[in-house]
């Protein structure tokens, strides 16, 4: 709801969100996020609906640089100056070269341990009647390739095209997407534009349309797909645990997702290599590469404070095996005390 009210079909430029929130927190004396993994696992084991918000950091260990790591540039241009409809209409060849570079990187990349941990967690929890939904700002499809099924790609997908003439949207994993882009897209600042004629760029093949295709991603200045946003809102409203993984969370409206959940008193756990200005408003912060911290946090061999929790996390079999474990401990203690008593009797 909050997101929709803020959007109202207009462009929301990326704004540094964190600093104001940090100041407010400092003024109000609110506590810092915890890094207690045992406590987090207990919360996680009880959660029925988990929302996982991911950003470029989750794909960093798959070899896809975050915009920050790549200093926000491709050749000598800033990413936000290339990812716009204006840039595309001015120079479609350059913008296609940029996206061709990202497509080829993503096609060759493998899902990281973080992607796999999220997918494995979704599959495991769904067997227990619990849900996991991934809300990603990434366009690289690595969550799906890792096996995640419930993925909301709020910024679109590098492997879809949209026709500027007829509006047709198609999935496209061709490499290269067209002959003219083969070997192009080198990000080195010393490389010059390929200046590919517009008729040789990717074209629509729907019933002789032949319109120019564009990547089906959300560019700066464009609104998010309202169907996707409606689904996001439902997930955020229903979740009882939210993870924020590898995102600077400075691009609206995604920057509002975690604060919206936290405002309902729902725990937010952040996994990032460094604290953000707004990290202080999260319940937990696990600092480090998410390909290490996340599998550790979500792995099913978690700490089980009670038998009830154990049953929640590992299902019936685990509960049974733990019950047998408890019986084993109980009988071992009985045997021990029985033996001690016997020794005591013999000695007296
Ligand atoms: N793979 C992709 O699809 C891709 C790559 C780059 C940028 N983008 C786009 O850039 C925009 C900005 O998004 P953003 O906020 O996600 O990116 P960002 O580049 O602004 O921030 C990345 C965040 O990830 C953290 N990070 C980096 N490596 C990490 C690791 N190994 N483990 C944990 N955290 C790590 C950084 O500290 C930072 O907070 C989004 O629209 C996104 O779609 C997408
Ligand atoms: Zn078309």
């Amino acid at each position: 709801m909050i997101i929709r009210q803020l959007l109202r079909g207009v462009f929301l430029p990326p704004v540094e969100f964190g600093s104001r929130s940090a100041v407010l927190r400092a003024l109000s004396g609110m506590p810092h996020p915890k890094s207690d993994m045992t406590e987090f696992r207990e919360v996680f084991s009880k959660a029925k609906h988990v929302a996982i918000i991911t950003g470029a950091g989750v794909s960093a260990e798959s070899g896809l640089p975050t915009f920050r790591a790549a200093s926000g540039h491709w050749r000598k241009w800033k990413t936000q100056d290339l990812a716009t409809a204006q840039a595309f209409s001015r120079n479609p060849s350059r913008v296609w070269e940029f996206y061709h570079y990202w497509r080829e990187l993503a096609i060759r990349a493998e899902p990281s341990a973080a992607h796999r941990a999220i997918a494995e967690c979704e599959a495991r929890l769904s067997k227990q009647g619990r849900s996991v939904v991934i809300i990603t700002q990434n366009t690289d499809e690595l969550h799906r390739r890792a096996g995640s099924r419930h993925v909301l790609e709020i910024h679109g997908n590098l492997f879809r095209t949209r026709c500027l003439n007829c509006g047709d949207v198609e999935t496209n994993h061709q490499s290269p997407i067209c002959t003219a882009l083969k070997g192009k897209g080198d990000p080195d600042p010393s490389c010059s534009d390929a200046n590919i004629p517009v008729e040789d760029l990717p074209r629509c093949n729907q019933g002789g349309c032949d319109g120019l295709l564009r990547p089906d991603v959300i560019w700066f200045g464009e609104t998010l797909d309202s169907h996707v946003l409606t689904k996001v809102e439902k997930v955020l409203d229903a979740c009882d645990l939210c993870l924020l993984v590898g995102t600077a969370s400075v691009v609206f409206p995604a920057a509002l997702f975690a604060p919206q959940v936290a405002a309902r008193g729902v725990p937010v756990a952040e996994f990032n290599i460094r604290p953000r200005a707004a990290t202080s408003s999260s319940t937990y912060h696990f600092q480090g590469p998410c390909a290490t911290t996340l599998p550790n946090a979500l792995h099913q061999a978690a700490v089980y404070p009670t038998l009830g929790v154990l049953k929640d996390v590992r299902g019936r079999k685990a509960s049974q095996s733990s019950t047998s474990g408890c019986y084993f401990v109980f009988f071992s203690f009985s045997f021990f005390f029985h033996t001690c008593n016997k020794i005591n009797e013999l000695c007296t």
Side-chain angles (χ1 to χ4, degrees):
M1 196 64 196
I2 300 175
I3 300 163
R4 195 168 293 287
Q5 280 167 357
L6 273 160
L7 270 179
R8 289 207 189 276
V10 295
F11 163 52
L12 287 170
V15 182
E16 188 69 51
F17 172 75
S19 40
R20 203 177 45 165
S21 138
V23 170
L24 287 176
R25 179 161 285 262
L27 289 174
S28 65
M30 289 164 89
H32 283 292
K34 296 177 263 186
S35 54
D36 183 338
M37 188 58 89
T38 309
E39 187 186 303
F40 166 77
R41 282 169 167 166
E42 191 176 344
V43 170
F44 170 59
S45 70
K46 289 173 184 159
K48 296 271 185 294
H49 303 290
V50 183
I52 307 185
I53 302 165
T54 69
V58 82
S59 297
E61 279 143 288
S62 293
L64 299 181
T66 65
F67 283 163
R68 264 147 237 274
S71 70
H73 284 76
W74 175 85
R75 291 186 187 159
K76 57 186 180 211
W77 294 282
K78 279 188 183 162
T79 307
Q80 56 265 51
D81 294 337
L82 292 165
T84 69
Q86 293 80 357
F88 189 69
S89 73
R90 263 197 313 270
N91 195 334
S93 169
R94 180 186 295 157
V95 175
W96 259 121
E97 267 201 274
F98 170 67
Y99 280 99
H100 168 65
Y101 162 71
W102 276 101
R103 279 172 59 99
E104 295 298 308
L105 264 192
I107 249 171
R108 282 164 183 74
E110 288 299 328
S112 70
H115 293 109
R116 291 197 303 272
I118 291 172
E120 188 273 335
C121 167
E122 181 188 350
R124 175 162 36 94
L125 266 58
S126 76
K127 288 185 194 142
Q128 301 163 2
R130 302 156 73 197
S131 73
V132 172
V133 180
I134 297 116
I135 300 167
T136 188
Q137 297 161 82
N138 296 344
T139 53
D140 55 30
E141 256 188 16
L142 287 174
H143 282 302
R144 288 183 195 282
R145 281 177 51 201
S148 289
R149 292 179 55 240
H150 294 99
V151 186
L152 299 173
E153 294 167 320
I154 63 167
H155 290 168
N157 185 313
L158 277 176
F159 300 102
R160 281 197 315 254
T161 56
R162 193 180 340 141
C163 175
L164 289 184
N165 188 37
C166 71
D168 179 60
V169 173
E170 295 287 328
T171 298
N172 184 317
H173 289 94
Q174 269 171 249
S175 167
I177 188 167
C178 66
T179 318
L181 280 166
K182 189 171 183 194
K184 304 288 190 269
D186 188 333
D188 194 287
S190 62
C191 281
S192 41
D193 278 348
N195 287 323
I196 300 167
V198 74
E199 57 276 14
D200 294 338
L201 289 173
R203 312 293 304 195
C204 178
N205 56 15
Q206 295 299 305
C209 168
D210 200 37
L212 178 63
L213 298 180
R214 61 165 275 184
D216 191 31
V217 296
I218 306 292
W219 279 335
F220 289 93
E222 296 183 329
T223 48
L224 274 63
D225 183 319
S226 62
H227 298 296
V228 177
L229 258 189
T230 304
K231 288 182 189 167
V232 167
E233 275 184 42
K234 280 192 184 144
V235 172
L236 296 178
D237 285 347
C239 73
D240 51 8
L241 175 64
C242 175
L243 311 188
L244 195 62
V245 186
T247 176
S249 244
V250 290
V251 178
F252 282 93
L256 295 172
F257 295 168
Q260 176 179 336
V261 168
R264 286 197 292 114
V266 170
V268 173
E270 192 170 326
F271 297 80
N272 201 310
I273 43 168
R274 64 182 69 91
R276 305 170 300 122
T279 294
S280 52
S281 47
S282 295
T283 323
Y284 301 98
H285 176 224
F286 300 106
Q287 189 162 349
C290 59
T292 308
T293 53
L294 202 59
N296 184 33
L298 302 185
H299 196 267
Q300 63 175 335
V303 170
Y304 306 109
T306 65
L307 271 181
V309 168
L310 181 85
K311 201 169 174 183
D312 253 15
V313 177
R314 298 177 78 186
R316 215 164 142 243
K317 270 191 190 154
S319 168
Q320 282 166 349
S321 68
S322 135
T323 311
S324 355
C326 285
Y327 283 140
F328 175 75
V329 171
F330 175 74
F331 286 124
S332 305
F333 269 112
S334 306
F335 177 73
F336 175 73
F337 283 120
H338 182 71
T339 312
C340 286
N341 278 341
K342 281 284 167 209
I343 293 170
N344 203 25
E345 274 170 33
L346 288 173
C347 294
T348 50

